[in-house]
Amino acid sequence: GVINISTRAATGEGTRQTLAGEVGSYGTAGLSYGLTQKTGPLELTLGLAHRRTDGFSAFDGGTETDGAEATRLSFGARYAVSDALTVGGNIFTQRSRFEYDGYDAFFTFGDEDNSQTRQETGARVFAEVQAGATAHVFDVTAYDVSRDLNETGTFSSFSGKRLGVGWQGTTTVSDALTLVYGADTMEETGTYANLPGGRAETRISGAFAQGIWAPTDSFDVSATLRVDENSSFGTFPTGRLAVAWRPAENLTVRAAVATGFRAPSLDERFGDYTACCFFVGNPNLTPEESESYELGVEKTFGGGGSVSATLFQLNIDNLIASNATFTSLVNVPGKSARKGLELAGSVPLSERATLTGAYTYTDAKRPNGADLVRVPMHELALTLEGQVSERINASVTVKHAAGRLDNDVNTFAVVDMPDYTVVNAQMTYDIGNEAEVVLRAENLFDEDYQLVNGYGTAGQSFYVGLRKSF
């Protein structure tokens, strides 16, 4: 799959502003402001947001609430120097604080007066160059995070930095063939007392090439190869091959095979928490390596409906997981496998209402045949969305999960987790002049459930908001 996140951008000449606010259950309140401006070759964006909540107990069954708040400021600029060159940059800063529960001196999980204050800053500068049939993007990115923890009167601090440099080129060879290629490097540094000497760093550099080929109107091929050099673990080549075939206008068959790797983080390797939590990292960890396969088919119908089915399998070699005593991490020898089936569909019930649904069956096993924890065997989501009137739109979503295992929060033994069904609803009312009221209801029927053993979730809650553009 692909995750595509696009930041706010100007859509036309002039200035555009958006103001939004929301209040609701658990003492929740939020306010945000956004601005975009385009004047000829110059585009500017500005965003400011603050949100707070009194929260609920992170420990399921606790009596002490765990609140949170965050404030974020972001700014972006883009300037077209010429038809062939555009330069720009983005920067953000965010400060947040949240409270959480944990373990007492007897290592029993429950209400604790813990809190974390987090300061994050990120920046990117870029240049886009158009040279004939080739477009280049050069960028430099930086990210800095610091965390100050207060765990029942014990204070600790953590900081991390990332600095990256990248280049990507895209060449349109013909209407049927596009080539994408580039290189990047990123250095990560961690500084905190739980590391040997208080500091550790790692660098990963790589180069990649991709070909996207459509030899006919009904057939597409995408092939990608990437080679990474990790400063601690050496060279890792990975790749992906995907094809899509349309034997009929309303029918598509897809297939893909890919490999990947994940190096253990600095904390997984070197973090030493024996003074408080009996946990220490494992410097002998090796990267996880994976291979994945999928085969799917999708059919659309003249009335606007569609159905799809996808078989998938993911095999992970040397999965990084907790050891038998939960005091460190180990590579699990052999292949841990996740395989299953995804079904999805959309049915227009009328000109104003549509029902969509998705179901996933996942069989997740360790090499010894034991089930992986926190991977539901069955997940189902159904959404009914419709236009109630000219001004009102509404939707109801039902989410169900079953067949879950987890580790008990105190004994760490594997336990069955109860199935749960949660219903959420939303309604928007257009009041005119580019303004709308938004009503949200979460966990409408007050389901008592846990996503992670021992940790609470929100009960029935309601929120009302107002959005205005001008």
Side-chain angles (χ1 to χ4, degrees), residues 248-252 254 297-301 305-309 344 346:
E249 185 177 348
N250 60 357
L251 182 65
T252 302
R254 303 181 307 272
V297 60
E298 179 178 356
K299 183 175 176 59
T300 58
F301 300 94
S306 66
V307 293
S308 67
S346 177

Side-chain angles (χ1 to χ4, degrees), residues 409-432:
V409 74
N410 287 310
T411 67
F412 303 110
V414 176
V415 295
D416 287 311
M417 295 289 289
D419 304 342
Y420 68 85
T421 302
V422 175
V423 179
N424 300 324
Q426 178 172 301
M427 183 182 73
T428 61
Y429 177 71
D430 183 358
I431 59 178

